[in-house]
Amino acid sequence: MSDQMKLRLALMGRLNAVEERIAAACDRAGRDRGEVTLVAVTKTVSPELAELIADLGVYHLGENRPQELWRKAAAIDRALWWHLVGHLQRNKVERTLPLVHLIHSVDSARLLDAIEAEAARQVRIADVLLEVNVSREANKHGFAPEEVPDLVPRITALNNVRVKGLMTMAAYEEDPQRCRPTFAALRHLRDQLRAELGSAHPLEHLSMGMTNDFEVAVEEGATMVRIGSALFEGLTEGVKA
Ligand SMILES: *Cc1c(COP(=O)(O)O)cnc(C)c1O
């Protein structure tokens, strides 16, 4: 069997395992599997491996660094939905906007304003999520939860940006059940914000859950899970060995 075929089979096995776990979490929560989008985070893998997962039917790919997203989007010659899940510097907004389906990581009012201005200049609508640092870790980006309600007037005034929901990263926990309060808090914040914003801003998305904690996140209402390691970790090396 060729290395390429081995890699494809190994990745298929990983994807099936992740899919089964998402489906089981949906079942436990009484949710439809169709409510949850799997975003494969390709930050640690080559464009070839990223393309391979698209071949297997995963068309939502995520990167945490804008430059790496630009590089992969240019290297992969097919239509994909790119998600930026990491910090976006304002000087990288211009190049990023035409490439991305959704920016998960709007972490300041200044960045929101910069995206609004650039989207207007490019005559496009930018879809974004607001990143909230629910776990309040100093090394994480994001709004403090209490800052989010203050954003209501700003969100209402946007013309070229649609705020589609909220995103968070839970603190790493040995026992993922301990991430549950973080995810529940993000959902409550979303519900509160939605009530203040009204029907023009349905805030349909909760981007939460990574390899360590995605099942708990799905149980708590995630509509997007961002998964890297469970799909890709050790794969290339394992196949070569
Ligand atoms: C890397 C990354 C992920 C994926 O993390 P895994 O634990 O590898 O699944 C998700 N979200 C963000 C923002 C990331 O940087």
Side-chain angles (χ1 to χ4, degrees):
M1 208 191 299
S2 71
D3 278 356
Q4 179 66 17
M5 185 64 87
K6 282 185 199 161
L7 191 56
R8 193 184 169 88
L9 283 177
L11 188 57
M12 213 183 273
R14 292 286 184 87
L15 178 58
N16 284 342
V18 166
E19 273 297 335
E20 276 176 20
R21 290 169 61 189
I22 294 174
C26 285
D27 272 353
R28 285 194 295 278
R31 302 183 64 201
D32 193 295
R33 169 66 187 90
E35 295 172 27
V36 183
T37 298
L38 168 61
V39 178
V41 178
T42 51
K43 66 188 179 198
T44 60
V45 306
S46 64
E48 291 71 27
L49 198 45
E51 190 161 11
L52 200 52
I53 199 151
D55 284 342
L56 298 177
V58 179
Y59 304 119
H60 290 267
L61 303 188
E63 285 289 332
N64 70 329
R65 292 179 52 239
Q67 297 99 312
E68 185 61 16
L69 190 151
W70 305 343
R71 185 177 83 92
K72 287 219 179 76
I76 304 176
D77 182 25
R78 64 190 288 168
L80 291 167
W81 286 295
W82 286 103
H83 297 248
L84 183 69
V85 301
H87 181 63
L88 177 60
Q89 299 84 354
R90 281 177 298 151
N91 64 1
K92 300 200 170 62
V93 170
E94 180 179 1
R95 248 186 104 173
T96 302
L97 280 192
L99 301 174
V100 283
H101 169 64
L102 182 66
I103 298 169
H104 292 228
S105 41
V106 172
D107 52 14
S108 72
R110 286 202 314 172
L111 177 59
L112 191 59
D113 290 346
I115 296 172
E116 165 77 2
E118 185 57 31
R121 210 184 59 80
Q122 296 184 12
V123 196
R124 61 174 78 245
I125 300 292
D127 286 336
V128 308
L129 308 178
L130 305 177
E131 179 172 359
V132 187
N133 188 358
V134 178
S135 58
R136 297 180 191 276
E137 287 169 286
N139 62 342
K140 286 210 176 116
H141 292 282
F143 293 97
E146 64 276 10
E147 289 175 321
V148 173
D150 297 343
L151 295 168
V152 165
R154 240 193 180 93
I155 296 171
T156 316
L158 295 168
N159 292 312
N160 290 72
V161 176
R162 289 188 295 211
V163 176
K164 307 275 274 187
L166 304 180
M167 178 273 228
T168 202
M169 287 171 87
Y172 178 83
E173 296 284 356
E174 202 71 49
D175 174 7
Q177 292 297 340
R178 299 187 60 172
C179 300
R180 192 179 293 279
T182 297
F183 299 142
L186 192 74
R187 190 184 65 240
H188 287 136
L189 196 58
R190 189 275 310 268
D191 293 347
Q192 183 192 338
L193 195 61
R194 181 194 264 166
E196 287 182 41
L197 281 167
S199 57
H201 300 268
L203 302 177
E204 60 266 50
H205 287 300
L206 286 174
S207 169
M208 54 191 198
M210 313 185 354
T211 291
N212 185 55
D213 53 27
F214 68 88
E215 290 151 298
V216 176
V218 167
E219 289 170 16
E220 292 299 328
T223 65
M224 292 183 170
V225 290
R226 311 177 308 266
I227 299 182
S229 317
L231 293 169
F232 300 116
E233 195 172 61
L235 210 55
T236 324
E237 302 86 279
V239 169
K240 279 195 188 126

mmCIF file of all heavy atoms in Angstrom, residues 39 41 43-44 63-64 84-87 104-105 131 167-169 207 209-214 225-231 233, ligand 1:
data_model
loop_
_atom_site.group_PDB
_atom_site.id
_atom_site.type_symbol
_atom_site.label_atom_id
_atom_site.label_comp_id
_atom_site.label_asym_id
_atom_site.label_seq_id
_atom_site.Cartn_x
_atom_site.Cartn_y
_atom_site.Cartn_z
ATOM 1 N N VAL A 39 -14.962 21.951 12.552
ATOM 2 C CA VAL A 39 -13.903 22.748 11.924
ATOM 3 C C VAL A 39 -12.586 22.030 12.210
ATOM 4 O O VAL A 39 -12.176 21.905 13.364
ATOM 5 C CB VAL A 39 -13.868 24.184 12.483
ATOM 6 C CG1 VAL A 39 -12.731 24.983 11.845
ATOM 7 C CG2 VAL A 39 -15.210 24.878 12.279
ATOM 8 N N VAL A 41 -8.884 21.910 12.554
ATOM 9 C CA VAL A 41 -7.816 22.897 12.740
ATOM 10 C C VAL A 41 -6.508 22.307 12.208
ATOM 11 O O VAL A 41 -5.965 21.351 12.752
ATOM 12 C CB VAL A 41 -7.694 23.325 14.212
ATOM 13 C CG1 VAL A 41 -6.548 24.319 14.392
ATOM 14 C CG2 VAL A 41 -9.006 23.958 14.693
ATOM 15 N N LYS A 43 -3.534 23.741 11.738
ATOM 16 C CA LYS A 43 -2.346 24.572 11.990
ATOM 17 C C LYS A 43 -1.048 23.772 12.094
ATOM 18 O O LYS A 43 0.007 24.312 11.853
ATOM 19 C CB LYS A 43 -2.549 25.419 13.246
ATOM 20 C CG LYS A 43 -2.638 24.627 14.540
ATOM 21 C CD LYS A 43 -3.024 25.536 15.700
ATOM 22 C CE LYS A 43 -3.130 24.743 16.993
ATOM 23 N NZ LYS A 43 -3.890 25.473 18.015
ATOM 24 N N THR A 44 -1.129 22.499 12.464
ATOM 25 C CA THR A 44 0.100 21.716 12.643
ATOM 26 C C THR A 44 0.431 20.857 11.429
ATOM 27 O O THR A 44 1.411 20.122 11.455
ATOM 28 C CB THR A 44 -0.025 20.770 13.857
ATOM 29 O OG1 THR A 44 -1.122 19.887 13.611
ATOM 30 C CG2 THR A 44 -0.275 21.545 15.138
ATOM 31 N N GLU A 63 -7.402 27.831 10.936
ATOM 32 C CA GLU A 63 -5.993 28.155 11.213
ATOM 33 C C GLU A 63 -5.969 29.189 12.326
ATOM 34 O O GLU A 63 -6.877 30.012 12.426
ATOM 35 C CB GLU A 63 -5.324 28.738 9.956
ATOM 36 C CG GLU A 63 -5.000 27.701 8.899
ATOM 37 C CD GLU A 63 -3.851 26.774 9.296
ATOM 38 O OE1 GLU A 63 -2.977 27.206 10.073
ATOM 39 O OE2 GLU A 63 -3.837 25.622 8.831
ATOM 40 N N ASN A 64 -4.908 29.171 13.132
ATOM 41 C CA ASN A 64 -4.874 30.154 14.217
ATOM 42 C C ASN A 64 -3.985 31.351 13.890
ATOM 43 O O ASN A 64 -4.031 32.352 14.584
ATOM 44 C CB ASN A 64 -4.468 29.521 15.550
ATOM 45 C CG ASN A 64 -3.022 29.108 15.579
ATOM 46 O OD1 ASN A 64 -2.470 28.749 14.542
ATOM 47 N ND2 ASN A 64 -2.401 29.151 16.744
ATOM 48 N N LEU A 84 -10.647 31.615 10.678
ATOM 49 C CA LEU A 84 -9.522 32.104 11.473
ATOM 50 C C LEU A 84 -9.915 31.988 12.942
ATOM 51 O O LEU A 84 -10.884 32.608 13.382
ATOM 52 C CB LEU A 84 -9.165 33.555 11.135
ATOM 53 C CG LEU A 84 -7.941 34.032 11.926
ATOM 54 C CD1 LEU A 84 -6.666 33.328 11.463
ATOM 55 C CD2 LEU A 84 -7.785 35.537 11.828
ATOM 56 N N VAL A 85 -9.167 31.165 13.686
ATOM 57 C CA VAL A 85 -9.547 30.905 15.083
ATOM 58 C C VAL A 85 -8.591 31.558 16.080
ATOM 59 O O VAL A 85 -8.814 31.496 17.284
ATOM 60 C CB VAL A 85 -9.682 29.379 15.354
ATOM 61 C CG1 VAL A 85 -10.733 28.768 14.438
ATOM 62 C CG2 VAL A 85 -8.352 28.652 15.208
ATOM 63 N N GLY A 86 -7.510 32.180 15.593
ATOM 64 C CA GLY A 86 -6.535 32.811 16.489
ATOM 65 C C GLY A 86 -6.483 34.314 16.291
ATOM 66 O O GLY A 86 -7.166 34.880 15.422
ATOM 67 N N HIS A 87 -5.623 34.948 17.074
ATOM 68 C CA HIS A 87 -5.559 36.406 17.125
ATOM 69 C C HIS A 87 -5.274 37.024 15.745
ATOM 70 O O HIS A 87 -4.383 36.580 15.030
ATOM 71 C CB HIS A 87 -4.480 36.829 18.121
ATOM 72 C CG HIS A 87 -4.355 38.303 18.260
ATOM 73 N ND1 HIS A 87 -5.389 39.087 18.733
ATOM 74 C CD2 HIS A 87 -3.335 39.146 17.982
ATOM 75 C CE1 HIS A 87 -4.997 40.351 18.741
ATOM 76 N NE2 HIS A 87 -3.760 40.420 18.289
ATOM 77 N N HIS A 104 -13.300 33.784 14.078
ATOM 78 C CA HIS A 104 -13.837 33.401 15.396
ATOM 79 C C HIS A 104 -13.309 34.287 16.517
ATOM 80 O O HIS A 104 -13.785 34.173 17.642
ATOM 81 C CB HIS A 104 -13.416 31.965 15.739
ATOM 82 C CG HIS A 104 -14.029 30.909 14.893
ATOM 83 N ND1 HIS A 104 -14.615 29.776 15.428
ATOM 84 C CD2 HIS A 104 -14.150 30.784 13.548
ATOM 85 C CE1 HIS A 104 -15.049 28.997 14.447
ATOM 86 N NE2 HIS A 104 -14.780 29.580 13.289
ATOM 87 N N SER A 105 -12.284 35.078 16.219
ATOM 88 C CA SER A 105 -11.413 35.585 17.270
ATOM 89 C C SER A 105 -11.363 37.111 17.338
ATOM 90 O O SER A 105 -10.295 37.680 17.508
ATOM 91 C CB SER A 105 -10.018 35.013 17.031
ATOM 92 O OG SER A 105 -9.723 35.036 15.621
ATOM 93 N N GLU A 131 -14.649 36.722 20.653
ATOM 94 C CA GLU A 131 -13.970 35.785 21.541
ATOM 95 C C GLU A 131 -14.075 36.287 22.972
ATOM 96 O O GLU A 131 -13.766 37.442 23.260
ATOM 97 C CB GLU A 131 -12.495 35.642 21.130
ATOM 98 C CG GLU A 131 -11.733 34.696 22.040
ATOM 99 C CD GLU A 131 -10.318 34.399 21.542
ATOM 100 O OE1 GLU A 131 -9.919 34.904 20.470
ATOM 101 O OE2 GLU A 131 -9.612 33.649 22.257
ATOM 102 N N MET A 167 -17.248 32.936 20.822
ATOM 103 C CA MET A 167 -16.256 31.854 20.833
ATOM 104 C C MET A 167 -15.503 31.880 22.150
ATOM 105 O O MET A 167 -15.299 32.953 22.726
ATOM 106 C CB MET A 167 -15.286 32.069 19.673
ATOM 107 C CG MET A 167 -14.174 31.055 19.563
ATOM 108 S SD MET A 167 -12.695 31.442 20.528
ATOM 109 C CE MET A 167 -11.431 31.179 19.293
ATOM 110 N N THR A 168 -15.129 30.708 22.643
ATOM 111 C CA THR A 168 -14.237 30.670 23.793
ATOM 112 C C THR A 168 -13.325 29.454 23.737
ATOM 113 O O THR A 168 -13.591 28.492 23.003
ATOM 114 C CB THR A 168 -15.000 30.690 25.142
ATOM 115 O OG1 THR A 168 -14.114 31.157 26.170
ATOM 116 C CG2 THR A 168 -15.532 29.317 25.535
ATOM 117 N N MET A 169 -12.230 29.550 24.481
ATOM 118 C CA MET A 169 -11.347 28.404 24.729
ATOM 119 C C MET A 169 -11.394 28.147 26.226
ATOM 120 O O MET A 169 -11.097 29.038 27.015
ATOM 121 C CB MET A 169 -9.902 28.751 24.362
ATOM 122 C CG MET A 169 -9.642 28.831 22.879
ATOM 123 S SD MET A 169 -7.989 29.508 22.571
ATOM 124 C CE MET A 169 -7.017 28.001 22.638
ATOM 125 N N SER A 207 -18.892 28.862 19.210
ATOM 126 C CA SER A 207 -17.703 28.116 18.808
ATOM 127 C C SER A 207 -16.952 27.747 20.072
ATOM 128 O O SER A 207 -16.321 28.585 20.705
ATOM 129 C CB SER A 207 -16.839 28.989 17.893
ATOM 130 O OG SER A 207 -15.567 28.397 17.694
ATOM 131 N N GLY A 209 -15.100 24.092 22.222
ATOM 132 C CA GLY A 209 -14.778 22.673 22.219
ATOM 133 C C GLY A 209 -13.600 22.388 21.309
ATOM 134 O O GLY A 209 -13.607 22.763 20.133
ATOM 135 N N MET A 210 -12.543 21.787 21.908
ATOM 136 C CA MET A 210 -11.346 21.373 21.185
ATOM 137 C C MET A 210 -11.134 19.888 21.509
ATOM 138 O O MET A 210 -11.985 19.258 22.123
ATOM 139 C CB MET A 210 -10.146 22.234 21.609
ATOM 140 C CG MET A 210 -10.517 23.692 21.619
ATOM 141 S SD MET A 210 -9.249 24.950 21.947
ATOM 142 C CE MET A 210 -7.784 24.097 22.364
ATOM 143 N N THR A 211 -10.009 19.344 21.093
ATOM 144 C CA THR A 211 -9.787 17.899 21.273
ATOM 145 C C THR A 211 -10.093 17.422 22.694
ATOM 146 O O THR A 211 -10.745 16.399 22.889
ATOM 147 C CB THR A 211 -8.333 17.557 20.889
ATOM 148 O OG1 THR A 211 -8.210 17.716 19.475
ATOM 149 C CG2 THR A 211 -7.979 16.129 21.274
ATOM 150 N N ASN A 212 -9.647 18.183 23.664
ATOM 151 C CA ASN A 212 -9.771 17.704 25.046
ATOM 152 C C ASN A 212 -11.196 17.777 25.598
ATOM 153 O O ASN A 212 -11.522 17.079 26.553
ATOM 154 C CB ASN A 212 -8.835 18.524 25.941
ATOM 155 C CG ASN A 212 -8.809 18.005 27.354
ATOM 156 O OD1 ASN A 212 -8.539 16.832 27.579
ATOM 157 N ND2 ASN A 212 -9.110 18.870 28.310
ATOM 158 N N ASP A 213 -12.028 18.644 25.021
ATOM 159 C CA ASP A 213 -13.296 18.936 25.707
ATOM 160 C C ASP A 213 -14.503 19.081 24.776
ATOM 161 O O ASP A 213 -15.535 19.602 25.185
ATOM 162 C CB ASP A 213 -13.121 20.207 26.562
ATOM 163 C CG ASP A 213 -12.580 21.387 25.752
ATOM 164 O OD1 ASP A 213 -12.805 21.428 24.533
ATOM 165 O OD2 ASP A 213 -11.932 22.268 26.359
ATOM 166 N N PHE A 214 -14.389 18.612 23.531
ATOM 167 C CA PHE A 214 -15.467 18.947 22.576
ATOM 168 C C PHE A 214 -16.789 18.268 22.892
ATOM 169 O O PHE A 214 -17.853 18.808 22.571
ATOM 170 C CB PHE A 214 -15.024 18.685 21.127
ATOM 171 C CG PHE A 214 -14.819 17.252 20.726
ATOM 172 C CD1 PHE A 214 -15.873 16.498 20.235
ATOM 173 C CD2 PHE A 214 -13.568 16.671 20.824
ATOM 174 C CE1 PHE A 214 -15.679 15.180 19.839
ATOM 175 C CE2 PHE A 214 -13.365 15.352 20.422
ATOM 176 C CZ PHE A 214 -14.419 14.604 19.942
ATOM 177 N N VAL A 225 -17.256 23.033 16.643
ATOM 178 C CA VAL A 225 -16.142 22.522 17.440
ATOM 179 C C VAL A 225 -14.888 22.647 16.592
ATOM 180 O O VAL A 225 -14.923 22.443 15.374
ATOM 181 C CB VAL A 225 -16.367 21.064 17.911
ATOM 182 C CG1 VAL A 225 -17.464 21.011 18.961
ATOM 183 C CG2 VAL A 225 -16.700 20.134 16.755
ATOM 184 N N ARG A 226 -13.782 23.040 17.232
ATOM 185 C CA ARG A 226 -12.518 23.295 16.518
ATOM 186 C C ARG A 226 -11.520 22.227 16.932
ATOM 187 O O ARG A 226 -11.001 22.256 18.042
ATOM 188 C CB ARG A 226 -11.985 24.692 16.888
ATOM 189 C CG ARG A 226 -13.030 25.815 16.791
ATOM 190 C CD ARG A 226 -12.412 27.133 17.252
ATOM 191 N NE ARG A 226 -11.787 27.013 18.562
ATOM 192 C CZ ARG A 226 -12.373 27.296 19.725
ATOM 193 N NH1 ARG A 226 -13.608 27.735 19.751
ATOM 194 N NH2 ARG A 226 -11.720 27.145 20.857
ATOM 195 N N ILE A 227 -11.285 21.272 16.051
ATOM 196 C CA ILE A 227 -10.525 20.096 16.459
ATOM 197 C C ILE A 227 -9.271 19.905 15.608
ATOM 198 O O ILE A 227 -9.343 19.860 14.378
ATOM 199 C CB ILE A 227 -11.430 18.842 16.402
ATOM 200 C CG1 ILE A 227 -12.599 19.058 17.382
ATOM 201 C CG2 ILE A 227 -10.636 17.584 16.756
ATOM 202 C CD1 ILE A 227 -13.546 17.907 17.482
ATOM 203 N N GLY A 228 -8.128 19.839 16.291
ATOM 204 C CA GLY A 228 -6.860 19.604 15.612
ATOM 205 C C GLY A 228 -6.267 18.255 15.985
ATOM 206 O O GLY A 228 -6.292 17.308 15.197
ATOM 207 N N SER A 229 -5.737 18.159 17.201
ATOM 208 C CA SER A 229 -4.979 16.972 17.618
ATOM 209 C C SER A 229 -5.711 15.650 17.396
ATOM 210 O O SER A 229 -5.104 14.679 16.944
ATOM 211 C CB SER A 229 -4.618 17.073 19.105
ATOM 212 O OG SER A 229 -4.179 18.358 19.414
ATOM 213 N N ALA A 230 -6.974 15.587 17.738
ATOM 214 C CA ALA A 230 -7.693 14.307 17.628
ATOM 215 C C ALA A 230 -7.724 13.821 16.180
ATOM 216 O O ALA A 230 -7.818 12.619 15.920
ATOM 217 C CB ALA A 230 -9.117 14.433 18.170
ATOM 218 N N LEU A 231 -7.623 14.752 15.245
ATOM 219 C CA LEU A 231 -7.630 14.361 13.831
ATOM 220 C C LEU A 231 -6.226 14.087 13.311
ATOM 221 O O LEU A 231 -6.026 13.148 12.524
ATOM 222 C CB LEU A 231 -8.263 15.475 12.982
ATOM 223 C CG LEU A 231 -9.758 15.731 13.206
ATOM 224 C CD1 LEU A 231 -10.184 17.018 12.504
ATOM 225 C CD2 LEU A 231 -10.585 14.548 12.709
ATOM 226 N N GLU A 233 -2.860 14.492 15.163
ATOM 227 C CA GLU A 233 -1.656 14.324 15.972
ATOM 228 C C GLU A 233 -0.924 13.016 15.658
ATOM 229 O O GLU A 233 -1.519 11.940 15.699
ATOM 230 C CB GLU A 233 -1.987 14.367 17.469
ATOM 231 C CG GLU A 233 -0.758 14.558 18.326
ATOM 232 C CD GLU A 233 -1.114 14.803 19.785
ATOM 233 O OE1 GLU A 233 -1.737 13.912 20.387
ATOM 234 O OE2 GLU A 233 -0.798 15.885 20.289
HETATM 235 C C1 LIG B 1 -5.134 24.758 18.016
HETATM 236 C C2 LIG B 1 -6.473 25.299 18.277
HETATM 237 C C3 LIG B 1 -7.589 24.449 18.319
HETATM 238 C C4 LIG B 1 -7.490 22.944 18.179
HETATM 239 O O1 LIG B 1 -6.891 22.405 19.333
HETATM 240 P P1 LIG B 1 -6.744 20.820 19.569
HETATM 241 O O2 LIG B 1 -6.626 20.710 21.048
HETATM 242 O O3 LIG B 1 -5.531 20.410 18.830
HETATM 243 O O4 LIG B 1 -7.974 20.172 19.061
HETATM 244 C C5 LIG B 1 -8.828 25.029 18.530
HETATM 245 N N1 LIG B 1 -8.975 26.368 18.686
HETATM 246 C C6 LIG B 1 -7.927 27.212 18.659
HETATM 247 C C7 LIG B 1 -8.160 28.667 18.849
HETATM 248 C C8 LIG B 1 -6.642 26.705 18.453
HETATM 249 O O5 LIG B 1 -5.594 27.548 18.425
#
